[in-house]
Short mmCIF file of all heavy atoms in Angstrom, two decimals:
data_model
loop_
_atom_site.label_atom_id
_atom_site.label_comp_id
_atom_site.label_asym_id
_atom_site.label_seq_id
_atom_site.Cartn_x
_atom_site.Cartn_y
_atom_site.Cartn_z
N VAL G 1 0.85 -1.19 0.00
CA VAL G 1 0.00 0.00 0.00
C VAL G 1 0.89 1.24 0.00
O VAL G 1 1.85 1.32 0.77
CB VAL G 1 -0.93 0.02 1.24
CG1 VAL G 1 -1.78 1.28 1.26
CG2 VAL G 1 -1.81 -1.21 1.26
N ASN G 2 0.55 2.19 -0.84
CA ASN G 2 1.31 3.43 -0.92
C ASN G 2 1.20 4.17 0.42
O ASN G 2 0.10 4.36 0.95
CB ASN G 2 0.74 4.29 -2.06
CG ASN G 2 1.58 5.52 -2.33
OD1 ASN G 2 2.16 6.11 -1.44
ND2 ASN G 2 1.62 5.91 -3.59
N ILE G 3 2.34 4.60 0.97
CA ILE G 3 2.34 5.32 2.23
C ILE G 3 1.52 6.60 2.13
O ILE G 3 0.90 7.06 3.09
CB ILE G 3 3.79 5.64 2.68
CG1 ILE G 3 3.80 6.28 4.07
CG2 ILE G 3 4.48 6.55 1.65
CD1 ILE G 3 3.31 5.39 5.16
N GLY G 4 1.49 7.18 0.92
CA GLY G 4 0.70 8.39 0.71
C GLY G 4 -0.78 8.15 0.93
O GLY G 4 -1.50 9.00 1.47
N ASP G 5 -1.26 6.96 0.53
CA ASP G 5 -2.67 6.61 0.74
C ASP G 5 -2.98 6.47 2.22
O ASP G 5 -4.05 6.88 2.69
CB ASP G 5 -3.02 5.32 0.01
CG ASP G 5 -2.94 5.46 -1.50
OD1 ASP G 5 -3.08 6.60 -1.98
OD2 ASP G 5 -2.73 4.46 -2.19
N LEU G 6 -2.06 5.88 2.98
CA LEU G 6 -2.27 5.72 4.42
C LEU G 6 -2.35 7.08 5.11
O LEU G 6 -3.19 7.29 5.99
CB LEU G 6 -1.14 4.89 5.03
CG LEU G 6 -1.06 3.42 4.57
CD1 LEU G 6 0.12 2.72 5.24
CD2 LEU G 6 -2.36 2.68 4.87
N TYR G 7 -1.47 8.00 4.71
CA TYR G 7 -1.52 9.35 5.26
C TYR G 7 -2.86 10.02 4.93
O TYR G 7 -3.46 10.69 5.77
CB TYR G 7 -0.38 10.20 4.70
CG TYR G 7 0.96 9.96 5.34
CD1 TYR G 7 2.10 9.78 4.56
CD2 TYR G 7 1.10 9.93 6.73
CE1 TYR G 7 3.35 9.57 5.15
CE2 TYR G 7 2.34 9.71 7.32
CZ TYR G 7 3.46 9.54 6.52
OH TYR G 7 4.69 9.34 7.12
N THR G 8 -3.31 9.85 3.69
CA THR G 8 -4.56 10.48 3.26
C THR G 8 -5.76 9.91 4.00
O THR G 8 -6.69 10.65 4.37
CB THR G 8 -4.76 10.31 1.74
OG1 THR G 8 -3.60 10.78 1.04
CG2 THR G 8 -5.97 11.10 1.26
N ILE G 9 -5.76 8.60 4.25
CA ILE G 9 -6.84 7.98 5.02
C ILE G 9 -6.86 8.53 6.44
O ILE G 9 -7.92 8.85 6.99
CB ILE G 9 -6.68 6.45 5.04
CG1 ILE G 9 -6.90 5.88 3.64
CG2 ILE G 9 -7.68 5.82 6.01
CD1 ILE G 9 -6.55 4.40 3.52
N ALA G 10 -5.67 8.65 7.04
CA ALA G 10 -5.58 9.21 8.39
C ALA G 10 -6.12 10.64 8.40
O ALA G 10 -6.83 11.05 9.34
CB ALA G 10 -4.13 9.19 8.88
N GLY G 11 -5.82 11.39 7.35
CA GLY G 11 -6.33 12.76 7.24
C GLY G 11 -7.84 12.78 7.10
O GLY G 11 -8.51 13.65 7.67
N ALA G 12 -8.41 11.82 6.36
CA ALA G 12 -9.86 11.76 6.17
C ALA G 12 -10.56 11.48 7.50
O ALA G 12 -11.62 12.04 7.79
CB ALA G 12 -10.22 10.68 5.15
N VAL G 13 -9.97 10.62 8.33
CA VAL G 13 -10.54 10.31 9.65
C VAL G 13 -10.53 11.56 10.53
O VAL G 13 -11.53 11.91 11.17
CB VAL G 13 -9.76 9.18 10.33
CG1 VAL G 13 -10.25 9.00 11.77
CG2 VAL G 13 -9.93 7.87 9.56
N ALA G 14 -9.38 12.26 10.55
CA ALA G 14 -9.27 13.48 11.36
C ALA G 14 -10.22 14.56 10.86
O ALA G 14 -10.85 15.26 11.66
CB ALA G 14 -7.83 14.00 11.32
N PHE G 15 -10.36 14.67 9.56
CA PHE G 15 -11.26 15.68 9.01
C PHE G 15 -12.71 15.35 9.31
O PHE G 15 -13.53 16.25 9.50
CB PHE G 15 -11.04 15.80 7.50
CG PHE G 15 -11.69 17.00 6.89
CD1 PHE G 15 -11.30 18.28 7.24
CD2 PHE G 15 -12.72 16.87 5.96
CE1 PHE G 15 -11.91 19.40 6.70
CE2 PHE G 15 -13.33 17.97 5.41
CZ PHE G 15 -12.93 19.24 5.77
N ALA G 16 -13.05 14.06 9.35
CA ALA G 16 -14.41 13.65 9.73
C ALA G 16 -14.71 14.08 11.16
O ALA G 16 -15.81 14.56 11.46
CB ALA G 16 -14.57 12.14 9.57
N VAL G 17 -13.73 13.91 12.05
CA VAL G 17 -13.89 14.36 13.44
C VAL G 17 -14.12 15.86 13.48
O VAL G 17 -14.98 16.36 14.22
CB VAL G 17 -12.64 13.99 14.28
CG1 VAL G 17 -12.73 14.61 15.68
CG2 VAL G 17 -12.49 12.48 14.37
N TYR G 18 -13.36 16.59 12.67
CA TYR G 18 -13.50 18.05 12.62
C TYR G 18 -14.92 18.46 12.20
O TYR G 18 -15.55 19.31 12.83
CB TYR G 18 -12.48 18.62 11.63
CG TYR G 18 -12.76 20.05 11.21
CD1 TYR G 18 -12.51 21.11 12.07
CD2 TYR G 18 -13.29 20.32 9.95
CE1 TYR G 18 -12.78 22.42 11.68
CE2 TYR G 18 -13.56 21.61 9.56
CZ TYR G 18 -13.29 22.66 10.42
OH TYR G 18 -13.57 23.95 10.04
N LEU G 19 -15.45 17.85 11.14
CA LEU G 19 -16.79 18.21 10.66
C LEU G 19 -17.87 17.90 11.69
O LEU G 19 -18.82 18.67 11.86
CB LEU G 19 -17.08 17.47 9.35
CG LEU G 19 -16.36 17.96 8.10
CD1 LEU G 19 -16.70 17.07 6.91
CD2 LEU G 19 -16.70 19.40 7.79
N ILE G 20 -17.72 16.78 12.38
CA ILE G 20 -18.70 16.42 13.42
C ILE G 20 -18.65 17.42 14.56
O ILE G 20 -19.69 17.84 15.10
CB ILE G 20 -18.43 14.99 13.93
CG1 ILE G 20 -18.73 13.97 12.83
CG2 ILE G 20 -19.29 14.70 15.16
CD1 ILE G 20 -18.34 12.55 13.18
N LYS G 21 -17.44 17.83 14.96
CA LYS G 21 -17.30 18.82 16.03
C LYS G 21 -17.87 20.18 15.62
O LYS G 21 -18.49 20.87 16.43
CB LYS G 21 -15.82 18.96 16.43
CG LYS G 21 -15.30 17.81 17.28
CD LYS G 21 -13.89 18.07 17.74
CE LYS G 21 -13.44 17.03 18.76
NZ LYS G 21 -14.22 17.11 20.02
N VAL G 22 -17.64 20.57 14.36
CA VAL G 22 -18.20 21.84 13.88
C VAL G 22 -19.72 21.80 13.94
O VAL G 22 -20.37 22.75 14.37
CB VAL G 22 -17.74 22.12 12.43
CG1 VAL G 22 -18.53 23.29 11.83
CG2 VAL G 22 -16.25 22.47 12.41
N GLU G 23 -20.31 20.68 13.50
CA GLU G 23 -21.77 20.53 13.55
C GLU G 23 -22.28 20.64 14.98
O GLU G 23 -23.27 21.33 15.25
CB GLU G 23 -22.16 19.19 12.95
CG GLU G 23 -23.67 18.95 12.96
CD GLU G 23 -24.03 17.55 12.50
OE1 GLU G 23 -23.45 16.58 13.01
OE2 GLU G 23 -24.90 17.43 11.63
N THR G 24 -21.58 20.00 15.92
CA THR G 24 -21.99 20.02 17.32
C THR G 24 -21.95 21.43 17.90
O THR G 24 -22.90 21.88 18.55
CB THR G 24 -21.09 19.09 18.15
OG1 THR G 24 -21.17 17.75 17.62
CG2 THR G 24 -21.53 19.08 19.61
N HIS G 25 -20.86 22.14 17.67
CA HIS G 25 -20.69 23.48 18.23
C HIS G 25 -21.61 24.50 17.56
O HIS G 25 -22.11 25.42 18.21
CB HIS G 25 -19.24 23.94 18.09
CG HIS G 25 -18.29 23.26 19.03
ND1 HIS G 25 -18.35 23.40 20.40
CD2 HIS G 25 -17.26 22.40 18.79
CE1 HIS G 25 -17.40 22.69 20.97
NE2 HIS G 25 -16.72 22.06 20.02
N SER G 26 -21.85 24.33 16.26
CA SER G 26 -22.66 25.31 15.53
C SER G 26 -24.12 25.28 15.93
O SER G 26 -24.87 26.22 15.67
CB SER G 26 -22.52 25.08 14.02
OG SER G 26 -23.04 23.82 13.65
N ARG G 27 -24.57 24.20 16.57
CA ARG G 27 -25.96 24.12 17.01
C ARG G 27 -26.27 25.06 18.16
O ARG G 27 -27.40 25.52 18.31
CB ARG G 27 -26.28 22.68 17.44
CG ARG G 27 -26.35 21.67 16.30
CD ARG G 27 -26.48 20.27 16.86
NE ARG G 27 -26.57 19.26 15.80
CZ ARG G 27 -26.50 17.95 16.02
NH1 ARG G 27 -26.36 17.50 17.25
NH2 ARG G 27 -26.58 17.10 15.01
N SER G 28 -25.25 25.36 18.98
CA SER G 28 -25.49 26.12 20.20
C SER G 28 -24.87 27.51 20.20
O SER G 28 -25.13 28.29 21.12
CB SER G 28 -24.96 25.34 21.41
OG SER G 28 -23.57 25.08 21.26
N LYS G 29 -24.06 27.84 19.19
CA LYS G 29 -23.38 29.14 19.22
C LYS G 29 -23.07 29.62 17.81
O LYS G 29 -23.14 28.85 16.84
CB LYS G 29 -22.09 29.03 20.02
CG LYS G 29 -21.05 28.14 19.41
CD LYS G 29 -19.87 27.88 20.35
CE LYS G 29 -20.27 26.94 21.45
NZ LYS G 29 -19.12 26.53 22.29
#
C-alpha cells in the first residue's frame, strides 16, 4: 500500500472528526 494513501486515510478520519465537532458546536453558538 502506498504510504501516501495511508496518510490520506488518516487525514480523512481526522477531518471527519472536525466536521462532526463543527456541527456540534454550531448548534449552540
Side-chain angles (χ1 to χ4, degrees):
V1 178
N2 188 326
I3 186 64
D5 294 335
L6 295 179
Y7 281 133
T8 307
I9 293 171
V13 172
F15 193 64
V17 173
Y18 164 75
L19 287 177
I20 292 173
K21 284 185 172 295
V22 169
E23 180 186 50
T24 302
H25 287 295
S26 63
R27 289 172 179 170
S28 58
K29 66 189 73 173

